[in-house]
Amino acid sequence: MPDAMPDITYTQRYDRPTIALHWATAFLVLFQFVLGESWGWPAKPVHHLMVVAHLTAGILLTAIMGFRIAWRLTKGRQLSYLLRPLDRFFAMGVEYTLYVLLLAEIVLGKLWRWGAGQTMSFFGLLMPSPFTRFSAPFLHGIQTIHHWNAWLIVAIASGHGMTAIFHQVILKDRVLGRMMLRGDQGANPLFTQNP
């Protein structure tokens, strides 16, 4: 009996820049979240290093999101047409929601740091605040929104990942393979499909 779903070919996989930008974003989001939720635990020298790493990774994420959006709008391969209409609706909705939340998180992070009168640090290069110091209540509001927006991003991204795994393992439609860097999924049991 032939496979119900066709094999993944080059045209059914995202292009390499899209894949690399996707996984770089996922890594940095997770890295940022872990740092932000745990930097209150260690003593001051380690705490300071964690804050500096968070700031540096935030600037890297800003650049990656800029490249990612520009690439998607110009040369990035679009595969949403391969999805059923309802799947397409939810996939595009989640994707655009994550883009908006990530961009908001980046802006909120910079406003929180600069609004407190502190410099941004990127691998030791200091960027002074372009703003006058914000009022304490306004700054606290920015910090609160930044914190809960991070949790919302991680919750939606986790759902996105679990949905991809559900498609791959339960529905066996090889959706996850479209975002993998390796071209040969045949040797990996996660990518095999029963006839």
Side-chain angles (χ1 to χ4, degrees), residues 145-171:
I145 297 169
H146 184 68
H147 172 78
W148 289 111
N149 191 52
W151 276 95
L152 184 57
I153 289 167
V154 168
I156 293 173
S158 298
H160 169 67
M162 288 187 287
T163 301
I165 291 170
F166 175 80
H167 271 267
Q168 188 69 33
V169 175
I170 305 300
L171 300 181

PDB file of all heavy atoms in Angstrom, residues 145-171:
ATOM      1  N   ILE A 145       4.841  43.919  32.525  1.00  0.00           N
ATOM      2  CA  ILE A 145       4.390  43.462  31.200  1.00  0.00           C
ATOM      3  C   ILE A 145       5.480  42.621  30.530  1.00  0.00           C
ATOM      4  O   ILE A 145       5.188  41.586  29.926  1.00  0.00           O
ATOM      5  CB  ILE A 145       3.991  44.656  30.315  1.00  0.00           C
ATOM      6  CG1 ILE A 145       2.797  45.397  30.928  1.00  0.00           C
ATOM      7  CG2 ILE A 145       3.642  44.191  28.905  1.00  0.00           C
ATOM      8  CD1 ILE A 145       2.508  46.733  30.281  1.00  0.00           C
ATOM      9  N   HIS A 146       6.744  43.055  30.663  1.00  0.00           N
ATOM     10  CA  HIS A 146       7.876  42.317  30.097  1.00  0.00           C
ATOM     11  C   HIS A 146       7.922  40.894  30.679  1.00  0.00           C
ATOM     12  O   HIS A 146       8.115  39.920  29.947  1.00  0.00           O
ATOM     13  CB  HIS A 146       9.170  43.072  30.408  1.00  0.00           C
ATOM     14  CG  HIS A 146      10.407  42.487  29.822  1.00  0.00           C
ATOM     15  ND1 HIS A 146      10.671  42.471  28.468  1.00  0.00           N
ATOM     16  CD2 HIS A 146      11.486  41.903  30.403  1.00  0.00           C
ATOM     17  CE1 HIS A 146      11.848  41.905  28.246  1.00  0.00           C
ATOM     18  NE2 HIS A 146      12.358  41.539  29.403  1.00  0.00           N
ATOM     19  N   HIS A 147       7.723  40.798  31.982  1.00  0.00           N
ATOM     20  CA  HIS A 147       7.762  39.497  32.666  1.00  0.00           C
ATOM     21  C   HIS A 147       6.641  38.573  32.174  1.00  0.00           C
ATOM     22  O   HIS A 147       6.895  37.428  31.790  1.00  0.00           O
ATOM     23  CB  HIS A 147       7.650  39.710  34.175  1.00  0.00           C
ATOM     24  CG  HIS A 147       7.481  38.445  34.952  1.00  0.00           C
ATOM     25  ND1 HIS A 147       8.526  37.599  35.235  1.00  0.00           N
ATOM     26  CD2 HIS A 147       6.374  37.862  35.491  1.00  0.00           C
ATOM     27  CE1 HIS A 147       8.084  36.559  35.923  1.00  0.00           C
ATOM     28  NE2 HIS A 147       6.777  36.693  36.089  1.00  0.00           N
ATOM     29  N   TRP A 148       5.402  39.070  32.174  1.00  0.00           N
ATOM     30  CA  TRP A 148       4.279  38.207  31.800  1.00  0.00           C
ATOM     31  C   TRP A 148       4.229  37.939  30.304  1.00  0.00           C
ATOM     32  O   TRP A 148       3.768  36.880  29.875  1.00  0.00           O
ATOM     33  CB  TRP A 148       2.959  38.789  32.320  1.00  0.00           C
ATOM     34  CG  TRP A 148       2.873  38.654  33.805  1.00  0.00           C
ATOM     35  CD1 TRP A 148       2.922  39.652  34.732  1.00  0.00           C
ATOM     36  CD2 TRP A 148       2.785  37.424  34.552  1.00  0.00           C
ATOM     37  NE1 TRP A 148       2.860  39.127  36.007  1.00  0.00           N
ATOM     38  CE2 TRP A 148       2.779  37.763  35.920  1.00  0.00           C
ATOM     39  CE3 TRP A 148       2.723  36.079  34.193  1.00  0.00           C
ATOM     40  CZ2 TRP A 148       2.694  36.812  36.930  1.00  0.00           C
ATOM     41  CZ3 TRP A 148       2.646  35.124  35.199  1.00  0.00           C
ATOM     42  CH2 TRP A 148       2.633  35.494  36.538  1.00  0.00           C
ATOM     43  N   ASN A 149       4.707  38.874  29.511  1.00  0.00           N
ATOM     44  CA  ASN A 149       4.800  38.642  28.066  1.00  0.00           C
ATOM     45  C   ASN A 149       5.782  37.512  27.774  1.00  0.00           C
ATOM     46  O   ASN A 149       5.559  36.702  26.866  1.00  0.00           O
ATOM     47  CB  ASN A 149       5.218  39.929  27.348  1.00  0.00           C
ATOM     48  CG  ASN A 149       5.075  39.820  25.849  1.00  0.00           C
ATOM     49  OD1 ASN A 149       4.033  39.460  25.336  1.00  0.00           O
ATOM     50  ND2 ASN A 149       6.134  40.156  25.135  1.00  0.00           N
ATOM     51  N   ALA A 150       6.869  37.446  28.553  1.00  0.00           N
ATOM     52  CA  ALA A 150       7.838  36.346  28.385  1.00  0.00           C
ATOM     53  C   ALA A 150       7.175  34.997  28.648  1.00  0.00           C
ATOM     54  O   ALA A 150       7.382  34.031  27.899  1.00  0.00           O
ATOM     55  CB  ALA A 150       9.033  36.548  29.315  1.00  0.00           C
ATOM     56  N   TRP A 151       6.371  34.922  29.702  1.00  0.00           N
ATOM     57  CA  TRP A 151       5.661  33.678  30.002  1.00  0.00           C
ATOM     58  C   TRP A 151       4.674  33.329  28.888  1.00  0.00           C
ATOM     59  O   TRP A 151       4.531  32.149  28.526  1.00  0.00           O
ATOM     60  CB  TRP A 151       4.923  33.792  31.339  1.00  0.00           C
ATOM     61  CG  TRP A 151       5.817  33.498  32.503  1.00  0.00           C
ATOM     62  CD1 TRP A 151       6.504  34.408  33.262  1.00  0.00           C
ATOM     63  CD2 TRP A 151       6.138  32.207  33.033  1.00  0.00           C
ATOM     64  NE1 TRP A 151       7.234  33.753  34.227  1.00  0.00           N
ATOM     65  CE2 TRP A 151       7.028  32.398  34.123  1.00  0.00           C
ATOM     66  CE3 TRP A 151       5.770  30.909  32.698  1.00  0.00           C
ATOM     67  CZ2 TRP A 151       7.540  31.344  34.869  1.00  0.00           C
ATOM     68  CZ3 TRP A 151       6.281  29.858  33.441  1.00  0.00           C
ATOM     69  CH2 TRP A 151       7.160  30.079  34.507  1.00  0.00           C
ATOM     70  N   LEU A 152       4.014  34.337  28.338  1.00  0.00           N
ATOM     71  CA  LEU A 152       3.067  34.098  27.244  1.00  0.00           C
ATOM     72  C   LEU A 152       3.794  33.579  26.005  1.00  0.00           C
ATOM     73  O   LEU A 152       3.330  32.633  25.352  1.00  0.00           O
ATOM     74  CB  LEU A 152       2.312  35.394  26.925  1.00  0.00           C
ATOM     75  CG  LEU A 152       1.211  35.317  25.875  1.00  0.00           C
ATOM     76  CD1 LEU A 152       0.146  34.285  26.251  1.00  0.00           C
ATOM     77  CD2 LEU A 152       0.579  36.696  25.680  1.00  0.00           C
ATOM     78  N   ILE A 153       4.946  34.156  25.696  1.00  0.00           N
ATOM     79  CA  ILE A 153       5.745  33.694  24.552  1.00  0.00           C
ATOM     80  C   ILE A 153       6.132  32.231  24.731  1.00  0.00           C
ATOM     81  O   ILE A 153       5.979  31.415  23.815  1.00  0.00           O
ATOM     82  CB  ILE A 153       7.001  34.570  24.372  1.00  0.00           C
ATOM     83  CG1 ILE A 153       6.611  35.958  23.858  1.00  0.00           C
ATOM     84  CG2 ILE A 153       8.005  33.916  23.429  1.00  0.00           C
ATOM     85  CD1 ILE A 153       7.732  36.981  23.937  1.00  0.00           C
ATOM     86  N   VAL A 154       6.637  31.901  25.919  1.00  0.00           N
ATOM     87  CA  VAL A 154       7.078  30.522  26.172  1.00  0.00           C
ATOM     88  C   VAL A 154       5.898  29.553  26.125  1.00  0.00           C
ATOM     89  O   VAL A 154       6.015  28.451  25.581  1.00  0.00           O
ATOM     90  CB  VAL A 154       7.838  30.437  27.512  1.00  0.00           C
ATOM     91  CG1 VAL A 154       8.054  29.001  27.945  1.00  0.00           C
ATOM     92  CG2 VAL A 154       9.183  31.159  27.394  1.00  0.00           C
ATOM     93  N   ALA A 155       4.739  29.973  26.641  1.00  0.00           N
ATOM     94  CA  ALA A 155       3.557  29.102  26.606  1.00  0.00           C
ATOM     95  C   ALA A 155       3.111  28.845  25.165  1.00  0.00           C
ATOM     96  O   ALA A 155       2.862  27.691  24.777  1.00  0.00           O
ATOM     97  CB  ALA A 155       2.421  29.727  27.412  1.00  0.00           C
ATOM     98  N   ILE A 156       3.037  29.891  24.352  1.00  0.00           N
ATOM     99  CA  ILE A 156       2.605  29.726  22.963  1.00  0.00           C
ATOM    100  C   ILE A 156       3.640  28.944  22.162  1.00  0.00           C
ATOM    101  O   ILE A 156       3.297  28.061  21.366  1.00  0.00           O
ATOM    102  CB  ILE A 156       2.308  31.098  22.318  1.00  0.00           C
ATOM    103  CG1 ILE A 156       1.093  31.732  22.989  1.00  0.00           C
ATOM    104  CG2 ILE A 156       2.066  30.946  20.809  1.00  0.00           C
ATOM    105  CD1 ILE A 156       0.814  33.153  22.551  1.00  0.00           C
ATOM    106  N   ALA A 157       4.922  29.253  22.376  1.00  0.00           N
ATOM    107  CA  ALA A 157       5.984  28.526  21.664  1.00  0.00           C
ATOM    108  C   ALA A 157       5.991  27.050  22.051  1.00  0.00           C
ATOM    109  O   ALA A 157       6.226  26.178  21.206  1.00  0.00           O
ATOM    110  CB  ALA A 157       7.339  29.166  21.950  1.00  0.00           C
ATOM    111  N   SER A 158       5.731  26.751  23.320  1.00  0.00           N
ATOM    112  CA  SER A 158       5.653  25.346  23.761  1.00  0.00           C
ATOM    113  C   SER A 158       4.492  24.636  23.085  1.00  0.00           C
ATOM    114  O   SER A 158       4.627  23.490  22.628  1.00  0.00           O
ATOM    115  CB  SER A 158       5.504  25.269  25.281  1.00  0.00           C
ATOM    116  OG  SER A 158       6.628  25.823  25.917  1.00  0.00           O
ATOM    117  N   GLY A 159       3.348  25.313  23.004  1.00  0.00           N
ATOM    118  CA  GLY A 159       2.208  24.742  22.287  1.00  0.00           C
ATOM    119  C   GLY A 159       2.515  24.523  20.822  1.00  0.00           C
ATOM    120  O   GLY A 159       2.135  23.501  20.243  1.00  0.00           O
ATOM    121  N   HIS A 160       3.223  25.463  20.227  1.00  0.00           N
ATOM    122  CA  HIS A 160       3.659  25.350  18.826  1.00  0.00           C
ATOM    123  C   HIS A 160       4.538  24.106  18.642  1.00  0.00           C
ATOM    124  O   HIS A 160       4.334  23.320  17.712  1.00  0.00           O
ATOM    125  CB  HIS A 160       4.423  26.626  18.458  1.00  0.00           C
ATOM    126  CG  HIS A 160       5.145  26.590  17.167  1.00  0.00           C
ATOM    127  ND1 HIS A 160       4.515  26.515  15.937  1.00  0.00           N
ATOM    128  CD2 HIS A 160       6.484  26.644  16.887  1.00  0.00           C
ATOM    129  CE1 HIS A 160       5.426  26.515  14.973  1.00  0.00           C
ATOM    130  NE2 HIS A 160       6.613  26.593  15.523  1.00  0.00           N
ATOM    131  N   GLY A 161       5.488  23.930  19.548  1.00  0.00           N
ATOM    132  CA  GLY A 161       6.372  22.764  19.472  1.00  0.00           C
ATOM    133  C   GLY A 161       5.640  21.457  19.680  1.00  0.00           C
ATOM    134  O   GLY A 161       5.869  20.476  18.957  1.00  0.00           O
ATOM    135  N   MET A 162       4.738  21.432  20.651  1.00  0.00           N
ATOM    136  CA  MET A 162       3.972  20.198  20.907  1.00  0.00           C
ATOM    137  C   MET A 162       3.049  19.863  19.736  1.00  0.00           C
ATOM    138  O   MET A 162       2.856  18.687  19.412  1.00  0.00           O
ATOM    139  CB  MET A 162       3.181  20.330  22.206  1.00  0.00           C
ATOM    140  CG  MET A 162       4.064  20.276  23.440  1.00  0.00           C
ATOM    141  SD  MET A 162       3.153  20.234  24.996  1.00  0.00           S
ATOM    142  CE  MET A 162       2.547  21.904  25.098  1.00  0.00           C
ATOM    143  N   THR A 163       2.512  20.894  19.102  1.00  0.00           N
ATOM    144  CA  THR A 163       1.671  20.665  17.923  1.00  0.00           C
ATOM    145  C   THR A 163       2.488  20.067  16.781  1.00  0.00           C
ATOM    146  O   THR A 163       2.027  19.141  16.095  1.00  0.00           O
ATOM    147  CB  THR A 163       1.010  21.984  17.476  1.00  0.00           C
ATOM    148  OG1 THR A 163       0.218  22.486  18.548  1.00  0.00           O
ATOM    149  CG2 THR A 163       0.129  21.770  16.248  1.00  0.00           C
ATOM    150  N   ALA A 164       3.707  20.586  16.584  1.00  0.00           N
ATOM    151  CA  ALA A 164       4.584  20.036  15.537  1.00  0.00           C
ATOM    152  C   ALA A 164       4.910  18.573  15.816  1.00  0.00           C
ATOM    153  O   ALA A 164       4.899  17.733  14.905  1.00  0.00           O
ATOM    154  CB  ALA A 164       5.855  20.866  15.435  1.00  0.00           C
ATOM    155  N   ILE A 165       5.180  18.252  17.082  1.00  0.00           N
ATOM    156  CA  ILE A 165       5.477  16.861  17.454  1.00  0.00           C
ATOM    157  C   ILE A 165       4.237  15.982  17.264  1.00  0.00           C
ATOM    158  O   ILE A 165       4.332  14.848  16.780  1.00  0.00           O
ATOM    159  CB  ILE A 165       6.012  16.792  18.895  1.00  0.00           C
ATOM    160  CG1 ILE A 165       7.402  17.442  18.958  1.00  0.00           C
ATOM    161  CG2 ILE A 165       6.063  15.354  19.399  1.00  0.00           C
ATOM    162  CD1 ILE A 165       7.929  17.659  20.354  1.00  0.00           C
ATOM    163  N   PHE A 166       3.063  16.496  17.612  1.00  0.00           N
ATOM    164  CA  PHE A 166       1.807  15.757  17.398  1.00  0.00           C
ATOM    165  C   PHE A 166       1.619  15.442  15.910  1.00  0.00           C
ATOM    166  O   PHE A 166       1.286  14.312  15.543  1.00  0.00           O
ATOM    167  CB  PHE A 166       0.629  16.578  17.924  1.00  0.00           C
ATOM    168  CG  PHE A 166      -0.710  15.965  17.644  1.00  0.00           C
ATOM    169  CD1 PHE A 166      -1.196  14.945  18.439  1.00  0.00           C
ATOM    170  CD2 PHE A 166      -1.483  16.409  16.573  1.00  0.00           C
ATOM    171  CE1 PHE A 166      -2.435  14.376  18.177  1.00  0.00           C
ATOM    172  CE2 PHE A 166      -2.720  15.840  16.299  1.00  0.00           C
ATOM    173  CZ  PHE A 166      -3.197  14.817  17.104  1.00  0.00           C
ATOM    174  N   HIS A 167       1.845  16.450  15.068  1.00  0.00           N
ATOM    175  CA  HIS A 167       1.736  16.228  13.620  1.00  0.00           C
ATOM    176  C   HIS A 167       2.722  15.155  13.164  1.00  0.00           C
ATOM    177  O   HIS A 167       2.389  14.304  12.346  1.00  0.00           O
ATOM    178  CB  HIS A 167       2.001  17.532  12.862  1.00  0.00           C
ATOM    179  CG  HIS A 167       0.775  18.354  12.648  1.00  0.00           C
ATOM    180  ND1 HIS A 167       0.018  18.257  11.513  1.00  0.00           N
ATOM    181  CD2 HIS A 167       0.174  19.278  13.444  1.00  0.00           C
ATOM    182  CE1 HIS A 167      -1.000  19.098  11.603  1.00  0.00           C
ATOM    183  NE2 HIS A 167      -0.933  19.732  12.762  1.00  0.00           N
ATOM    184  N   GLN A 168       3.937  15.222  13.692  1.00  0.00           N
ATOM    185  CA  GLN A 168       4.999  14.301  13.261  1.00  0.00           C
ATOM    186  C   GLN A 168       4.745  12.869  13.730  1.00  0.00           C
ATOM    187  O   GLN A 168       4.849  11.934  12.941  1.00  0.00           O
ATOM    188  CB  GLN A 168       6.345  14.799  13.792  1.00  0.00           C
ATOM    189  CG  GLN A 168       7.533  14.046  13.244  1.00  0.00           C
ATOM    190  CD  GLN A 168       7.763  14.322  11.778  1.00  0.00           C
ATOM    191  OE1 GLN A 168       7.498  15.417  11.307  1.00  0.00           O
ATOM    192  NE2 GLN A 168       8.244  13.344  11.060  1.00  0.00           N
ATOM    193  N   VAL A 169       4.416  12.722  15.015  1.00  0.00           N
ATOM    194  CA  VAL A 169       4.346  11.390  15.621  1.00  0.00           C
ATOM    195  C   VAL A 169       2.957  10.755  15.475  1.00  0.00           C
ATOM    196  O   VAL A 169       2.852   9.565  15.176  1.00  0.00           O
ATOM    197  CB  VAL A 169       4.760  11.464  17.110  1.00  0.00           C
ATOM    198  CG1 VAL A 169       4.590  10.122  17.795  1.00  0.00           C
ATOM    199  CG2 VAL A 169       6.196  11.952  17.239  1.00  0.00           C
ATOM    200  N   ILE A 170       1.908  11.535  15.663  1.00  0.00           N
ATOM    201  CA  ILE A 170       0.552  10.973  15.640  1.00  0.00           C
ATOM    202  C   ILE A 170      -0.047  11.023  14.233  1.00  0.00           C
ATOM    203  O   ILE A 170      -0.508  10.008  13.707  1.00  0.00           O
ATOM    204  CB  ILE A 170      -0.369  11.710  16.635  1.00  0.00           C
ATOM    205  CG1 ILE A 170       0.230  11.690  18.051  1.00  0.00           C
ATOM    206  CG2 ILE A 170      -1.776  11.110  16.611  1.00  0.00           C
ATOM    207  CD1 ILE A 170       0.456  10.316  18.629  1.00  0.00           C
ATOM    208  N   LEU A 171      -0.052  12.196  13.626  1.00  0.00           N
ATOM    209  CA  LEU A 171      -0.640  12.328  12.286  1.00  0.00           C
ATOM    210  C   LEU A 171       0.293  11.825  11.189  1.00  0.00           C
ATOM    211  O   LEU A 171      -0.145  11.548  10.077  1.00  0.00           O
ATOM    212  CB  LEU A 171      -1.017  13.792  12.007  1.00  0.00           C
ATOM    213  CG  LEU A 171      -2.040  14.415  12.957  1.00  0.00           C
ATOM    214  CD1 LEU A 171      -2.331  15.857  12.553  1.00  0.00           C
ATOM    215  CD2 LEU A 171      -3.324  13.596  12.994  1.00  0.00           C
TER     216      LEU A 171
END
